[in-house]
């Protein structure tokens, strides 16, 4: 990839907020967080809330605060707030909060697509600061304050793309890089974060589950074959797999 390639990126941030148990409402919670986000910004940014979101592009989105429906193709142009049911406290933490009349709610915000330049990077910093600072919701029945907190079940995802679009050769290179770096990246996060239905990619991806006749390097000892193989072997293996996808080549 050429060094002057124009890159885009986006970030998904998961966190927890604590609200009053007697006023538990998903919709009011993420709308209140969106309202606080906009109030904390010096310059307004396009914002939306997604109802019943359960996959990347499934759910009903509305612009905030005007409430107008938002087409799915326009989600990428807004800061989207929604409930994330995968983020939550454990049984003991839940019991402690309930004793105080409170409950923890998992939320996620996805940034709009940003250019990797002098505009996009400062905007991301301002947006994350506006989220992190939290504040008092307009409706105090929800909580006296909504203060985002990190949690072991919460994650941060960074998506990187090309402004001109992704070609097959670059996609292959990215797949190889992800395959090689995955063990090192997983060592930095909680074990449960790598146990979703699509990760780790060395075990759960389409590439990993496709059966091919590939001979591993004879230089790898038995221990390496059982647990992991050398980066060179993995790179050769994935490269061989990628070459066997005629459908991708035709695209």
């Amino acid at each position: 990839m050429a060094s002057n390639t124009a890159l885009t990126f986006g970030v998904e941030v998961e966190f927890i907020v604590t609200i009053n148990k007697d006023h538990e409402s998903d919709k009011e919670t993420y709308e209140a967080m969106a309202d606080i986000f906009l109030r904390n910004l010096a310059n307004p940014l396009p914002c939306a809330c997604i109802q019943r979101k359960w996959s990347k592009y499934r759910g009903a989105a509305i612009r905030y605060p005007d409430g107008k429906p938002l087409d799915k193709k326009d989600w990428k142009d807004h800061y989207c707030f929604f409930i994330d049911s995968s983020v939550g406290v454990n049984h003991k933490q839940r019991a402690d909060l309930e004793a105080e009349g409170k409950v923890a709610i998992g939320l996620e915000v996805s940034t709009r697509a940003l250019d990797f330049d002098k505009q996009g990077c400062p905007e991301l910093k301002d947006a994350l600061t506006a989220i992190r600072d939290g504040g008092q919701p307009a409706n105090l029945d929800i909580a006296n304050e909504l203060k985002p907190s990190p949690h072991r079940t919460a994650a941060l995802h960074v998506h990187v793309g090309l402004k001109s679009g992704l070609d097959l050769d670059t996609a292959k290179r990215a797949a190889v890089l992800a395959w090689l770096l995955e063990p090192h990246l997983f060592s930095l996060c909680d074990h449960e974060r790598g146990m979703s239905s699509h990760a780790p990619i060395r075990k759960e991806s389409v590439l990993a589950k496709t059966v091919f006749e590939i001979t591993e390097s004879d230089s790898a000892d038995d221990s390496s074959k059982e647990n992991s193989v050398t980066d060179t072997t993995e790179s050769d293996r994935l490269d061989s797999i990628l070459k066997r996808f005629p459908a991708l080549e035709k695209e």
Side-chain angles (χ1 to χ4, degrees):
M1 194 166 20
S3 59
N4 61 349
T5 300
L7 297 177
T8 61
F9 72 102
V11 178
E12 298 172 1
V13 183
E14 300 170 1
F15 54 90
I16 280 178
V17 294
T18 301
I19 66 172
N20 296 326
K21 190 176 186 301
D22 293 338
H23 199 83
E24 186 174 352
S25 168
D26 290 349
K27 182 175 184 293
E28 288 192 49
T29 301
Y30 58 66
E31 287 187 350
M33 197 63 229
D35 181 64
I36 291 171
F37 167 70
L38 291 176
R39 282 194 272 125
N40 287 348
L41 290 169
N43 299 302
L45 291 169
C47 187
C49 295
I50 306 177
Q51 304 167 1
R52 300 179 300 279
K53 183 178 186 294
W54 59 276
S55 71
K56 186 175 182 181
Y57 287 114
R58 292 180 183 269
I62 59 169
R63 292 192 323 199
Y64 190 86
D66 65 21
K68 293 183 178 179
L70 187 67
D71 193 276
K72 289 183 175 62
K73 65 180 177 60
D74 297 321
W75 288 14
K76 69 181 188 305
D77 300 320
H78 293 70
Y79 284 78
C80 296
F81 288 80
F82 49 92
I83 294 296
D84 191 331
S85 58
S86 69
V87 179
V89 298
N90 60 35
H91 179 74
K92 183 181 183 306
Q93 292 169 326
R94 186 180 302 111
D96 291 343
L97 286 171
E98 288 181 351
E100 299 175 9
K102 300 182 183 301
V103 63
I105 301 291
L107 294 178
E108 181 173 334
V109 57
S110 59
T111 72
R112 65 175 176 173
L114 300 166
D115 291 339
F116 191 68
D117 58 14
K118 293 182 179 180
Q119 178 273 328
C121 296
E123 178 181 311
L124 176 65
K125 180 180 179 181
D126 291 343
L128 294 184
T129 298
I131 296 166
R132 181 197 63 200
D133 289 349
Q136 188 178 78
N139 183 358
L140 293 180
D141 288 337
I142 299 175
N144 290 328
E145 181 184 30
L146 289 182
K147 182 70 173 179
S149 300
H151 193 267
R152 64 188 298 268
T153 62
L156 181 148
H157 308 139
V158 180
H159 300 264
V160 179
L162 301 180
K163 199 163 187 177
S164 59
L166 192 65
D167 59 82
L168 182 58
D169 183 62
T170 302
K172 286 183 176 182
R173 290 172 181 270
V176 171
L177 183 62
W179 188 281
L180 295 177
L181 291 180
E182 184 180 62
H184 307 290
L185 295 175
F186 277 173
S187 71
L188 302 175
C189 65
D190 187 88
H191 174 72
E192 293 181 4
R193 294 305 308 181
M195 295 297 109
S196 63
S197 60
H198 53 273
I201 58 174
R202 291 190 179 196
K203 293 182 179 180
E204 302 299 334
S205 66
V206 173
L207 293 178
K209 292 183 177 181
T210 303
V211 178
F212 298 109
E213 293 182 2
I214 300 173
T215 303
E216 300 286 8
S217 170
D218 293 334
S219 63
D221 58 27
D222 292 340
S223 175
S224 295
K225 289 180 180 179
E226 289 180 4
N227 301 312
S228 64
V229 293
T230 64
D231 285 352
T232 300
T233 302
E234 283 293 340
S235 180
D236 291 344
R237 177 170 181 256
L238 183 59
D239 187 57
S240 178
I241 291 174
L242 291 171
K243 289 178 180 177
R244 294 167 184 258
F245 273 82
L248 287 178
E249 295 288 358
K250 290 178 182 178
E251 293 180 3

